[in-house]
Amino acid sequence: MIRKTALAGLAVLSAGALMLTACAGGTTSSPSPSSSASPESLPLVGYETVDYGDLTDGGTLNLSVTSSPTDEGSWNPNHALAQNVDVQRLLEPTLSSMWVIADDGSWTANPDYATSIELTSEEPQVVTVKLNENAVWPDGKPITAEDYVATYAAAGGAADGYETVPSSVFDAIDKAEVVSEFEYTVSFKGAYADWPSLFSTPVLPAAIANDKEAFNSGFASEAVPSAGPYVVDAIDNSAKIFKLVPNPNWWGANKPKLDSITFKVIAQETLPQAYSNDEIDAIEIQTPDALETASGKAGAVVGRSGGVTWSHLTFNATAAPFDDVNVRKAIGMAMDRELIARVANEPLGAPATTLGDWIFMPGQAGYSDVFDEKIGSDPAKAESTLEEAGWTKEGDSWTKDGKPLEFAITVPAGTQSNITRALGVQDALAKIGVKVTLNEVPSENYFTNIEAGDFQAVTFGWQGTLFPISSAETIYTPADSPQNYSRVTDDRLADLWEQANSELDETKRLEIAKQINEVIADFLPSVPIYPYPEVVATDEGLANYGTATFKNIDWSLVGYTE
């Protein structure tokens, strides 16, 4: 799954799914296919780690989100309405994590949940999981193999009416079976290279996973049972304040250090002042003004790292003017992506790297600037492309069949980084005579509008994963995929993705991924712009929390040193 995020427009579920964001004992270790993903000048981890024994007991961590699970419509982490970065951020301390992800993106089984995760057969491909027998639900009942098998069935049950986040891993599964109370196997229909992505799926009690009504609508305003070091203690939907406390039945190696974690919904534009006023203890920084305000707080520590989140301009290709692929290509040619990247990143102390790939990030194995190869930045060519498509330039505007060439970019109100990016598109297109307006909508309605297809063009962010090839599939195919917001595809992609997902030779697999990128460039559902730098300010003394390219947060290790 891939996650969307609106912080500059973002989206996230797990390491196996892409997410939206408006502005990601016998253990088996697997290297990430992309262990050098960050731009060269940014580190993989942007904060200092502190040993558990050096943390103090107690303290409250105050954090912010711009939208809550109630706002989005579900507290079920595997539900389609929970595929938002902020929802997952709030839920994360309460969720299972079957793996520990290292600085470089390699992973090992998390002993708090699994004593081993092993590929026990290649033909057929079978993975065997042995669980930690001490893991329990809040009611004291053990977390069993039945819970995991039922969760996978529900998460892959879209055809049966389960409202889930798309992930190609579930289409590849033949069956998941209980071996014993604390052991299960997953068999795949054929070779599936990204099989570890399955273990990013948070476990649910079997009673919930087996009940479609409960899964779909039973948790619109209340949390699912916790399988993590923290539990949801209080939900105040009126004040939009949500309190988490240590799980009293936590079985893990480390008892959580914090007394509580409080999340508060705060509008994006007011976050810097909220941090400066000590309302929150950490802030993701998206704009130079936010950096200046956050840096001025006494004791603030600013950390930077590379990331796997990237910005783009996505077209609604089912409606004019973007139902014409040549118009989409002309817009891409006319955009000054380098200038947009400089304006966004350099003031944050990060390199202005542009992105030319729809799967990989700069620095990842397999990355290629396919956009520049196939489309390029060329305003003169953009104009000739429009002429060839039947558009006529009269003065400073274009018309065809009596209709002007103009469009609106929908942006979330108050999200300055998103607005700035849209303004960059507007300025570039004005130079060739294409009028672009900004359609500001309330931030809480932003992704709702996108999912309904109520836009001409949008620019948000996709938060990528450890498994970029398989996780990117649902953005581009099929046309009716819930994550394919352009609503178009190319028939060649389905076969290419099937080949890529089943190819175990990494060199051959990357060659297939290059072909996928070339096909995407042919029908151009979106224009990649730049990778986000990850910049986070935290209060002095807060440890083991901040920004990292791959490394996941161990919430039992988050605490204070003083």
Side-chain angles (χ1 to χ4, degrees):
M1 295 171 268
I2 284 186
R3 307 180 187 191
K4 60 190 174 189
T5 168
L7 287 179
L10 271 198
V12 188
L13 247 193
S14 62
L18 293 177
M19 305 213 82
L20 310 168
T21 171
C23 31
T27 60
T28 297
S29 178
S30 172
S32 164
S34 52
S35 59
S36 60
S38 59
E40 229 176 78
S41 59
L42 290 176
L44 290 169
V45 178
Y47 60 90
E48 183 179 0
T49 58
V50 175
D51 290 339
Y52 182 80
D54 293 330
L55 299 172
T56 60
D57 293 328
T60 293
L61 176 60
N62 296 298
L63 299 174
S64 67
V65 287
T66 58
S67 181
S68 75
T70 302
D71 292 330
E72 297 298 325
S74 184
W75 287 74
N76 174 359
N78 296 319
H79 192 280
L81 295 177
Q83 64 164 327
N84 183 286
V85 167
D86 278 346
V87 171
Q88 295 295 319
R89 179 181 292 123
L90 194 158
L91 294 176
E92 187 178 353
T94 73
L95 303 179
S96 61
S97 178
M98 290 287 279
W99 48 20
V100 176
I101 302 173
D103 295 4
D104 64 357
S106 61
W107 67 272
T108 54
N110 185 343
D112 288 340
Y113 296 92
T115 58
S116 68
I117 301 173
E118 297 181 353
L119 184 65
T120 50
S121 172
E122 292 188 356
E123 292 186 11
Q125 187 168 310
V126 179
V127 177
T128 300
V129 180
K130 295 181 180 179
L131 299 173
N132 183 338
E133 298 183 15
N134 295 320
V136 295
W137 295 109
D139 62 6
K141 294 180 180 178
I143 300 176
T144 68
E146 183 182 357
D147 295 317
Y148 283 93
V149 169
T151 297
Y152 301 153
D160 297 321
Y162 280 84
E163 297 167 1
T164 64
V165 179
S167 179
S168 61
V169 67
F170 296 110
D171 291 334
I173 291 174
D174 179 31
K175 57 185 176 181
E177 296 180 299
V178 173
V179 175
S180 66
E181 186 175 14
F182 298 107
E183 181 177 342
Y184 65 92
T185 59
V186 180
S187 303
F188 292 83
K189 297 172 184 176
Y192 187 75
D194 283 343
W195 62 266
S197 65
L198 174 66
F199 301 107
S200 63
T201 307
V203 68
L204 299 173
I208 294 172
N210 288 331
D211 185 337
K212 182 167 59 180
E213 183 177 351
F215 182 98
N216 287 346
S217 57
F219 297 94
S221 59
E222 63 177 293
V224 296
S226 172
Y230 287 85
V231 298
V232 176
D233 179 61
I235 296 175
D236 188 336
N237 289 318
S238 297
K240 297 195 174 184
I241 297 175
F242 310 92
K243 182 181 178 183
L244 281 56
V245 298
N247 184 345
N249 289 327
W250 176 244
W251 62 90
N254 298 317
K255 179 181 177 182
K257 285 289 188 178
L258 297 169
D259 291 328
S260 64
I261 304 171
T262 298
F263 288 90
K264 183 177 182 180
V265 175
I266 301 176
Q268 180 74 20
E269 63 269 25
T270 64
L271 279 173
Q273 197 59 48
Y275 177 69
S276 180
N277 293 342
D278 278 332
E279 295 177 47
I280 52 177
D281 305 318
I283 178 176
E284 288 190 20
I285 294 171
Q286 303 288 334
T287 66
D289 287 346
L291 177 61
E292 181 179 2
T293 300
S295 301
K297 182 179 180 179
V301 178
V302 178
R304 295 174 177 83
S305 77
V308 292
T309 300
W310 52 281
S311 66
H312 53 89
L313 182 71
T314 286
F315 307 108
N316 182 345
T318 64
F322 298 126
D323 53 350
D324 183 344
V325 65
N326 292 304
V327 173
R328 303 198 295 269
K329 289 183 176 181
I331 298 306
M333 294 171 190
M335 287 171 55
D336 191 338
R337 295 157 56 248
E338 183 177 351
L339 178 59
I340 295 172
R342 289 207 310 269
V343 170
N345 292 358
E346 288 182 348
L348 300 180
T353 305
T354 56
L355 181 68
D357 193 301
W358 288 266
I359 298 175
F360 301 106
M361 300 286 280
Q364 284 183 302
Y367 177 83
S368 180
D369 193 350
V370 176
F371 181 89
D372 192 54
E373 294 172 11
K374 300 274 287 186
I375 306 296
S377 297
D378 189 337
K381 187 177 178 181
E383 295 203 41
S384 64
T385 299
L386 290 175
E387 290 173 352
E388 291 170 7
W391 292 86
T392 301
K393 190 171 187 181
E394 300 175 353
D396 292 327
S397 61
W398 295 84
T399 60
K400 182 179 181 180
D401 299 330
K403 296 181 179 179
L405 178 54
E406 58 187 29
F407 67 94
I409 302 176
T410 298
V411 296
T415 307
Q416 191 56 49
S417 50
N418 196 312
I419 293 170
T420 299
R421 196 160 54 240
L423 289 173
V425 177
Q426 182 186 65
D427 289 345
L429 269 293
K431 294 178 182 178
I432 67 164
V434 177
K435 182 181 179 180
V436 179
T437 57
L438 271 61
N439 174 33
E440 289 196 40
V441 300
S443 58
E444 61 268 25
N445 297 337
Y446 182 60
F447 285 121
T448 303
N449 288 2
I450 294 173
E451 288 158 4
D454 186 14
F455 68 93
Q456 289 183 291
V458 288
T459 173
F460 57 89
W462 282 114
Q463 180 173 303
T465 77
L466 295 179
F467 308 98
I469 297 177
S470 61
S471 64
E473 179 177 356
T474 55
I475 294 182
Y476 308 108
T477 187
D480 61 355
S481 165
Q483 290 187 319
N484 184 350
Y485 297 124
S486 70
R487 290 163 172 77
V488 292
T489 190
D490 187 298
D491 292 341
R492 292 173 290 173
L493 286 182
D495 181 61
L496 285 170
W497 244 298
E498 184 176 351
Q499 293 178 45
N501 289 336
S502 61
E503 179 56 68
L504 301 183
D505 183 303
E506 189 66 13
T507 299
K508 293 180 180 178
R509 193 166 186 241
L510 295 181
E511 291 172 355
I512 298 169
K514 175 70 178 298
Q515 295 177 52
I516 291 173
N517 267 306
E518 290 171 347
V519 171
I520 293 172
D522 284 345
F523 74 99
L524 202 68
S526 62
V527 176
I529 305 178
Y530 61 82
Y532 285 42
E534 302 293 333
V535 185
V536 172
T538 60
D539 284 357
E540 186 176 17
L542 178 60
N544 301 323
Y545 179 88
T547 177
T549 306
F550 297 116
K551 183 181 177 69
N552 60 337
I553 293 175
D554 181 344
W555 284 95
S556 68
L557 289 176
V558 176
Y560 290 94
T561 57
E562 54 186 36

